[in-house]
Amino acid sequence: MSAPQSRLPPPVILQQSACPTPAPDLPESDTEIRPASQKRPVRPPKLLLKVSDLCCTGSLELLSAINAGTALSDAVTCVLDCLYSDDSTLIPPTRSVTLVLRSMSGVAYTTGKDIDQDHKEIHLSTDYIKQISAHRKREEITGVLTHEMVHCWQWSANGTAPGGLIEGIADWVRLRAGYAPPHWERKADGEWDSGYQHTAYFLDYLEFRFGKSTVPRMNAALRDRKYREGKFWTRLFRRPVAELWGDYKSWLEQERKDIEPAAVTAAEPPITRTVSVEPSPLQEALDGRPENRDEDEPVLVEREDADVASV
């Protein structure tokens, strides 16, 4: 069943850089700070292609569906524009990205090369490419490459961030770039960090609710400190992630209630609700504690026009 239509604005295909406000750099004493590159790469990363079998069907179909060099270059631009459009946010020092086409199970994965972690490899399954329907092949390959390219550039709290958040950010970039496949649905079953499109749509909700640059600031907050769930979310949102996830569930439930009557009586416009979400007195008290606040750290504030439901 397809997902109900929502009042969230549709994902936008990025054409130029936005201007998010970066999260402050507040390293913790027990966190090893990784080196970062200049604010933008001094030169574009070297892009390489490695084909294990040039005559196999999957390799031939990819090479006929896309220009590999252009697709990789466009993916780099898309990722940088999504996550690092403000020049004050340092990016990982990725020097090269190699697309490896080979027969394997699964779809794709990204890893660092043996030489060092600044050289990345995106392994893409030629067996999977063969299974993609002809009319979807170009868009699906581009979407997968965009997702994997995020892993070449995103921060991961020195490997301590949950995998669901890492994969969710990658699929959020794919979503915002306009490459969401037709089977994706906006759902809130399970946990927030189930990953991939499940978490991507949650991040998209936060991006709408708290304003443009929300996800880039989340990524920036993973640069030079270990991930601790309580501190990470309350620093940025002054709310625990469980509360935000509950708000997202309530918003989706209300969306479905509003859309169902509209499907029966198409002449009637959908119901519009505007409910402001305020922190509870308990949460306000917790936010006021010195250990839960960073005086110089900006906090994400809800948009006044965001149509969300409170728990």
Side-chain angles (χ1 to χ4, degrees):
M1 182 180 68
S2 61
Q5 298 296 317
S6 70
R7 285 190 295 277
L8 278 177
V12 196
I13 297 178
L14 296 175
Q15 296 180 338
Q16 59 184 9
S17 297
C19 297
T21 303
D25 298 331
L26 298 173
E28 299 177 3
S29 58
D30 60 346
T31 301
E32 179 184 357
I33 301 177
R34 292 181 56 191
S37 73
Q38 301 294 324
K39 295 176 181 179
R40 282 281 180 160
V42 176
R43 60 180 180 273
K46 193 171 185 179
L47 302 176
L48 305 168
L49 176 63
K50 180 179 179 180
V51 184
S52 62
D53 183 355
L54 187 57
C55 294
C56 81
T57 303
S59 297
L60 293 173
E61 289 183 354
L62 179 138
L63 295 173
S64 64
I66 65 169
N67 180 307
T70 300
L72 290 174
S73 179
D74 289 347
V76 171
T77 300
C78 176
V79 172
L80 294 181
D81 283 347
C82 272
L83 297 182
Y84 301 100
S85 53
D86 190 301
D87 284 342
S88 63
T89 302
L90 297 178
I91 67 173
T94 301
R95 297 167 58 191
S96 72
V97 179
T98 302
L99 174 60
V100 180
L101 300 180
R102 66 184 184 88
S103 176
M104 65 179 192
S105 59
V107 178
Y109 69 89
T110 298
T111 185
K113 293 182 70 173
D114 293 338
I115 183 173
D116 63 52
Q117 291 299 307
D118 294 348
H119 298 272
K120 306 293 185 181
E121 287 186 345
I122 297 174
H123 291 247
L124 180 57
S125 169
T126 53
D127 302 299
Y128 176 72
I129 294 171
K130 289 189 296 184
Q131 300 172 13
I132 306 171
S133 58
H135 73 284
R136 284 267 316 145
K137 201 171 294 287
R138 179 184 179 86
E139 184 174 336
E140 176 64 13
I141 291 172
T142 305
V144 170
L145 291 179
T146 300
H147 173 106
E148 295 301 327
M149 189 62 74
V150 176
H151 296 323
C152 298
W153 299 96
Q154 70 184 145
W155 294 110
S156 64
N158 293 331
T160 65
L165 178 58
I166 296 299
E167 296 297 343
I169 291 175
D171 262 357
W172 177 80
V173 172
R174 179 177 178 175
L175 175 68
R176 299 299 288 182
Y179 295 117
H183 68 272
W184 280 16
E185 294 186 54
R186 190 187 298 274
K187 297 192 289 188
D189 53 342
E191 300 298 327
W192 73 269
D193 58 351
S194 296
Y196 297 99
Q197 73 269 20
H198 189 77
T199 301
Y201 279 118
F202 174 51
L203 298 177
D204 202 45
Y205 161 82
L206 295 178
E207 181 84 0
F208 172 69
R209 175 175 172 179
F210 293 94
K212 193 173 183 179
S213 83
T214 296
V215 178
R217 287 178 61 183
M218 292 175 69
N219 175 67
L222 296 171
R223 183 173 73 86
D224 55 9
R225 64 187 64 159
K226 292 181 180 179
Y227 177 87
R228 294 181 176 87
E229 184 170 291
K231 287 185 178 181
F232 179 81
W233 293 90
T234 54
R235 271 176 172 162
L236 288 172
F237 300 96
R238 290 188 178 175
R239 294 170 174 82
V241 65
E243 182 179 331
L244 294 167
W245 182 245
D247 292 347
Y248 175 56
K249 285 184 175 181
S250 298
W251 177 82
L252 277 181
E253 290 172 1
Q254 187 59 47
E255 284 290 292
R256 293 188 177 99
K257 290 178 182 178
D258 290 350
I259 290 171
E260 286 173 1
V264 178
T265 56
E268 298 180 4
I271 303 170
T272 301
R273 300 171 66 254
T274 303
V275 182
S276 62
V277 178
E278 299 293 339
S280 65
L282 174 60
Q283 187 61 45
E284 288 181 334
L286 291 174
D287 291 341
R289 293 180 183 177
E291 64 269 24
N292 288 333
R293 298 189 62 171
D294 294 308
E295 292 184 0
D296 298 330
E297 183 163 14
V299 176
L300 291 163
V301 179
E302 290 180 87
R303 290 174 34 172
E304 293 182 358
D305 61 341
D307 182 16
V308 296
S310 73
V311 176

